[in-house]
Amino acid sequence: MNEIFKALNDATRREILELLKQKDLTAGEIADAFNISKPSISHHLDILKRADLITSEKKGQFIIYSINTTIMEDVLQWILTFKK
Amino acid sequence: MNEIFKALNDATRREILELLKQKDLTAGEIADAFNISKPSISHHLDILKRADLITSEKKGQFIIYSINTTIMEDVLQWILTFKK
DNA sequence: TATATATTTAGACAAATATCTAAATACTTT
DNA sequence: AAAGTATTTAGATATTTGTCTAAATATATA
């Protein structure tokens, strides 16, 4: 839970999730969507991955990232405990 | 949204919400539940309040804090956009 | 095999954050 | 009014975080 909230606590990372919600993208395509260096985006992707919010798959020289919505279920359940 | 995720990105603050989920508490009662100084807890309460996750009401020399679950609805909706 | 492309790792740095102690503010009680 | 209790504000400090550039790794292509 800690890792998830940590990952979600950044506007850039939340935007990355919005992008991946629409379709899978390579690291480069994600980086192109922001005014931030590739290493920084790579770091954000790492944090999202550690939180299990995204997954990655190597395809040749590219790395394709996908969103993992099943983890969102955990957050959802946590939120719901407050909605009695 | 930024303020909400920022507020939720701390284990102590999430525990404060868990406590307030059960019943309203004074600042002192909340502080007593943690091994952290009162000023630090006061700071956490301030962050939760800025995010509108809690409200406060002065009662004599005490300040009573309550959870505001309506804000959780915003997070819920955000999460749900990923659960297509 | 040499060069180009895609991505990450390493290391540095400034800004943000969580914590503390000391002091200030506000209310209550004697 | 003075002293005690509840809470916050101020200021300091160590840690974490987001960002950068430079270098390393891995794959593709000429």
Side-chain angles (χ1 to χ4, degrees):
Chain A
M1 219 55 197
N2 220 320
E3 289 297 308
I4 301 179
F5 279 116
K6 174 180 171 172
L8 294 178
N9 183 34
D10 181 273
T12 301
R13 288 193 291 269
R14 292 198 299 275
E15 278 186 62
I16 290 174
L17 291 176
E18 302 279 0
L19 289 177
L20 293 177
K21 185 170 69 180
Q22 300 171 56
K23 62 169 177 154
D24 295 353
L25 294 170
T26 68
E29 288 171 324
I30 294 168
D32 289 344
F34 298 91
N35 240 345
I36 296 175
S37 73
K38 280 176 212 290
S40 294
I41 293 295
S42 183
H43 182 230
H44 283 308
L45 291 171
D46 184 53
I47 290 168
L48 287 168
K49 206 172 160 188
R50 282 174 197 280
D52 242 2
L53 284 162
I54 63 175
T55 59
S56 66
E57 195 191 350
K58 189 154 208 169
K59 204 147 202 178
Q61 68 192 315
F62 299 90
I63 294 177
I64 300 172
Y65 283 92
S66 314
I67 197 165
N68 176 19
T69 55
T70 66
I71 287 295
M72 291 290 184
E73 186 63 34
D74 293 359
V75 189
L76 193 67
Q77 289 308 319
W78 186 84
I79 299 291
L80 285 175
T81 68
F82 291 96
K83 293 279 304 169
K84 76 106 181 324
Chain B
M1 218 55 197
N2 220 318
E3 289 298 307
I4 300 179
F5 280 116
K6 174 182 172 172
L8 294 178
N9 183 35
D10 181 274
T12 300
R13 288 193 291 268
R14 291 198 299 275
E15 278 186 61
I16 291 174
L17 291 177
E18 302 279 359
L19 289 177
L20 293 177
K21 183 170 70 179
Q22 299 171 56
K23 63 169 175 152
D24 295 353
L25 294 170
T26 67
E29 288 172 326
I30 294 168
D32 289 345
F34 298 90
N35 241 343
I36 295 176
S37 72
K38 279 176 212 290
S40 294
I41 292 295
S42 184
H43 181 231
H44 284 308
L45 291 171
D46 185 52
I47 289 168
L48 287 168
K49 206 171 160 189
R50 282 174 198 281
D52 241 4
L53 284 163
I54 62 175
T55 59
S56 66
E57 195 191 350
K58 189 156 209 169
K59 205 148 200 178
Q61 68 192 314
F62 299 90
I63 295 178
I64 299 172
Y65 283 92
S66 313
I67 197 166
N68 176 20
T69 54
T70 66
I71 287 294
M72 290 290 185
E73 185 64 34
D74 293 0
V75 189
L76 193 68
Q77 289 309 318
W78 185 84
I79 299 291
L80 285 176
T81 68
F82 292 96
K83 294 277 304 169
K84 74 105 183 328

